[in-house]
């Protein structure tokens, strides 16, 4: 009860912050905040299958692409669509249909989940590195489809001129919803079963866990959030094309959840924030500067070298990442605060 | 389709397939020993092609020197890769090893991007690779003969090494059981380095041939051939050398026949390999020639 009140308080605090940002932040800062929230949503969706269930899934870009394209096709008006699809007309029913943003986002999530349902049967017949490569294959297949199916996706040209529907309320609202749903799921019996599968699948099976059904549930929910995140992303950047949804996007999400600590939702959120903000700071290395009389030309592409090196170092030397399986709890925060005040000696274990 | 066209496509498919085979060997060698998909293997193709561009195009070296250096450096790069990114994780969960491989792959790509720039560069193919031979209405590019011949010679050498030498026997023993082999007094680390060296040397040669066939290099050129070669290795039965060669040839021929039979579907060619992979894993996960590889847990 107390925890629930605290959580409500935190959400209210966030709302207040957003309201402040809406009024006083400039366009660039708002965009950064939106990107951060979308990456939190995507990272949480990805974390559910990789972190909680322990299955190395390498195809989130497919679900993000499906969500983005579905939502975009549903919010565009028929007139805009006929202008965009000048090479080959858009197939019915998308050519006539226009939905409000909320419904379009939901449809994006549902289409992604539908694709997850279809692919889940072959994907979960294999494990380990085979699962990784099969999901990577699905990601690639979706990208190739987006590039070639002129009548649905407008091919390599993509969709331009989407309405910038994604506001701070939408992006952070979805991020908070994703966090609440995924935390609740992880703590429920379903979540415990998923974690049991991660730790030892055979033991979990022996305890009566229906492995396939739990993995499928996680996969569907993860796909839904990835799809909704994709819809938000599409209406933030307002132009989508197949090049946006390559394996590179998957790699970014993988960095986030590994640096955050595989299996920790707290870590995923923190690392997503760090990734977005840190990525902006690191732009410095790609721009020309004059430092103490030395001119530095700026090296394009250096950011990715730093990111991939960071991932390599984290996975080799700090495999636990930022949070390594631990989660933020109000009790934990309270303990830490009391410790700071000196009521509990440092190093004392909590009494159970 | 008449006979000449059929033969023509057969030649094209064979040359593509033997390239896949050459690259697939590296995957299968490493997978057989460490049960690791070496994601960075495809990028070694790119490294080799770039060294080739540097040697021939920038320093104006004669091609044998430049190509020799390219293959040698690529081999070294493979060994360093194992030292830096895989050896520290040998006792870690396999999922970590795989993430490390993906990170290493991105690191290589972006490092080359920073050093050489993102703009595609033309590959200065030696003069002998150009031109074609015409025989009975059949038009065979000289390269389509060079590629399968080179690949054949290299693969033959590799087979002899693996099946006829002491080191090759050690390699096969490690693939069977790493722990026991190390108890038998085999220097496991050295043999693993050797496996990486061999696979990377072949990838180096494959990279040069690939760049001669598609004479444009860019930092991300290795990804797709790498993935397809991996699929070829799975198709033939991963861990099995002959399987990798068979898988490569089958994949090459299938791809070319898709392009030849349904020209409109050419854009979907890259999805074919993945569709094939999914089907193979569902129907016959051990591949065409693979023995039942126990599905180990992560």
């Amino acid at each position: 009860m107390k925890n629930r009140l605290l959580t409500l308080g935190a959400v209210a605090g966030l709302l207040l912050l957003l309201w402040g940002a809406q009024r006083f932040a400039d366009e660039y800062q708002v965009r950064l905040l939106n990107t951060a929230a979308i990456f939190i949503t995507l990272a949480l969706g990805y974390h559910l299958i990789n972190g909680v269930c322990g299955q190395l899934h390498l195809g989130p870009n497919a679900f993000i692409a499906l969500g983005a394209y579905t939502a975009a096709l549903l919010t565009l008006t028929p007139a805009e669509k006929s202008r965009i699809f000048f090479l080959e007309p858009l197939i019915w029913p998308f050519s006539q249909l226009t939905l409000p943003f909320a419904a379009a986002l939901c449809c994006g999530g549902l289409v992604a989940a539908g694709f997850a349902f279809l692919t889940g049967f072959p994907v979960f017949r294999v494990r380990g590195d085979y699962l990784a490569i099969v999901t990577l294959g699905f990601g690639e297949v979706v990208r190739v489809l987006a590039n070639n199916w002129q009548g649905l996706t407008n091919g390599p040209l993509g969709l331009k001129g989407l309405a910038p529907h994604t506001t701070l309320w939408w992006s952070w609202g979805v991020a908070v919803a994703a966090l609440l749903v995924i935390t609740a799921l992880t703590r429920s019996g379903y979540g415990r079963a998923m974690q049991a599968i991660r730790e030892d699948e055979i033991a979990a099976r022996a305890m009566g866990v229906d492995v396939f059904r739990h993995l499928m549930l996680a996969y569907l929910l993860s796909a839904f959030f990835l799809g909704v995140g994709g819809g938000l992303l599409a209406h933030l950047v307002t132009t989508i094309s197949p090049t946006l949804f390559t394996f590179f996007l998957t790699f970014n999400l993988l960095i986030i959840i590994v640096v955050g600590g595989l299996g920790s939702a707290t870590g995923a959120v923190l690392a997503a924030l760090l990734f977005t903000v840190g990525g902006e700071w690191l732009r410095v290395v790609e721009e020309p500067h004059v430092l103490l009389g030395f001119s530095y030309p700026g090296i394009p592409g250096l950011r990715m070298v730093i990111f991939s090196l960071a991932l390599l170092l984290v996975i080799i030397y700090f495999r636990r990442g930022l949070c390594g399986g631990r989660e933020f709890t109000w009790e934990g925060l309270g303990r830490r605060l009391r410790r700071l005040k000196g009521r509990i000696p440092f190093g004392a274990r909590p009494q159970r | 389709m008449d006979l000449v066209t059929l033969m023509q496509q057969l030649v094209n498919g064979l040359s593509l397939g033997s390239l896949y085979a050459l690259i697939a060997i590296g995957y299968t060698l490493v997978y057989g020993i460490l049960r690791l998909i070496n994601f960075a293997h495809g990028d070694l193709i790119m490294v080799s092609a770039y060294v080739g561009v540097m040697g021939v195009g920038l320093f104006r070296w004669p091609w044998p020197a430049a190509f020799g250096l390219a293959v040698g450096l690529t081999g070294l790069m493979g060994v360093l890769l194992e030292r830096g990114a895989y050896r520290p994780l040998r006792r870690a969960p396999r999922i970590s090893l795989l993430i490390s491989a993906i990170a290493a792959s991105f690191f290589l790509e972006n490092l080359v991007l920073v050093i050489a720039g993102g703009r595609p560069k033309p590959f200065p193919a030696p003069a002998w690779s150009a031109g074609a031979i015409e025989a009975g209405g059949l038009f065979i590019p000289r390269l389509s003969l060079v590629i399968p011949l080179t690949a054949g010679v290299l693969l033959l050498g590799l087979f002899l090494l693996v099946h006829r030498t002491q080191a090759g026997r050690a390699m096969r023993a490690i693939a069977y059981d790493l722990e026991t082999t190390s108890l038998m007094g085999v220097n496991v680390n050295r043999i693993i380095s050797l496996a990486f060296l061999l696979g990377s040397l072949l990838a180096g040669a494959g990279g040069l041939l690939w760049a001669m066939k598609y004479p444009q290099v860019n930092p991300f050129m290795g990804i797709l051939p790498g993935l397809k070669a991996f699929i070829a290795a799975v198709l033939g039965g991963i861990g099995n050398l002959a399987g990798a060669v068979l898988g490569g040839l089958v994949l090459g021929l299938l791809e070319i026949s898709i392009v030849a039979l349904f020209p409109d579907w050419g854009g979907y060619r890259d999805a074919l390999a993945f569709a094939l992979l999914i089907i193979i894993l569902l129907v016959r996960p051990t591949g065409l020639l693979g023995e039942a590889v126990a599905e180990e847990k992560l």
Side-chain angles (χ1 to χ4, degrees), chain A residues 54 56 58 122 125 127-130 132-134 136-138 140-141 144-145 148-149 200-202 247-248 251 254 258 262 299-302 304-305 308-309 311-312 315-316 319, chain B residues 31 35 37 39 84-85 88-89 92-96 98-100 102-104 106-107 110-111 113-114 224 227 230 234 238 267-268 270-271 274 277-278 281-282 285 295 297-298:
Chain A
L56 186 58
L58 290 180
R125 282 194 56 173
R127 288 290 183 277
D129 25 22
Y130 278 110
I133 205 96
V134 169
L136 189 146
F138 278 124
E140 196 64 16
V141 168
V144 170
L145 276 180
N148 287 287
W149 197 346
D200 190 335
E201 189 178 323
I202 295 170
F247 185 63
F248 184 69
F251 182 66
L254 191 65
V258 170
L262 275 177
I299 305 169
L302 195 56
M304 269 325 290
V305 176
S308 41
L309 202 59
L311 179 60
L312 207 54
I315 202 72
I316 293 177
R319 216 175 311 141
Chain B
Y31 194 91
R35 300 280 179 272
I37 301 174
F39 258 96
L89 287 171
R94 265 167 62 202
I95 203 162
S96 308
L98 202 54
I99 293 172
S100 173
I102 296 172
F106 267 76
F107 178 65
N110 287 288
L111 196 65
L113 182 75
V114 164
L224 213 55
L227 283 175
F230 171 74
V234 174
I238 194 140
Y268 294 100
D270 291 338
F274 292 103
L277 172 77
I278 291 156
L281 286 183
L282 288 183
E295 239 184 66
K297 273 190 46 61
L298 278 173

Side-chain angles (χ1 to χ4, degrees), chain A residues 48-49 53 185 194 213-223:
Chain A
L48 184 59
I49 191 85
C53 299
L185 178 79
M194 288 169 191
R213 273 196 28 202
H214 282 87
L215 289 181
M216 186 60 128
L217 177 69
Y219 192 53
L220 289 178
L221 204 60
S222 146

Side-chain angles (χ1 to χ4, degrees), chain B residues 117-250:
Chain B
R119 204 176 299 155
K121 294 190 190 322
F123 187 80
W128 50 259
S129 70
I133 297 166
E134 221 185 314
L138 204 59
F139 180 83
I140 303 174
R142 215 174 271 174
L143 208 53
S144 293
L145 292 178
V146 172
I147 292 175
L149 281 179
T150 320
V153 170
L154 290 174
L155 292 176
L156 191 70
L158 182 90
F159 273 76
L160 288 178
L161 212 156
V162 171
H163 287 284
R164 291 279 181 275
T165 65
Q166 191 75 32
R169 184 177 302 149
M171 210 177 284
R172 282 178 288 141
I174 291 177
Y176 198 73
D177 189 336
L178 193 144
E179 299 280 314
T180 312
T181 312
S182 75
L183 291 177
M184 299 295 161
V186 172
N187 187 340
V188 171
N189 280 333
R190 218 165 64 211
I191 299 296
I192 290 177
S193 286
L194 178 69
F196 270 87
L197 178 71
L198 289 174
S200 310
L201 287 175
L202 291 186
L208 291 173
L209 293 172
W210 187 277
M212 279 195 260
K213 193 170 161 66
Y214 305 100
Q216 211 179 40
V217 300
N218 72 67
F220 304 100
M221 65 181 275
I223 300 176
L224 213 55
L227 283 175
K228 287 185 186 166
F230 171 74
I231 292 171
V234 174
L235 180 64
I238 194 140
N240 183 321
L241 291 183
V245 177
L246 180 69
L249 291 177
V250 169

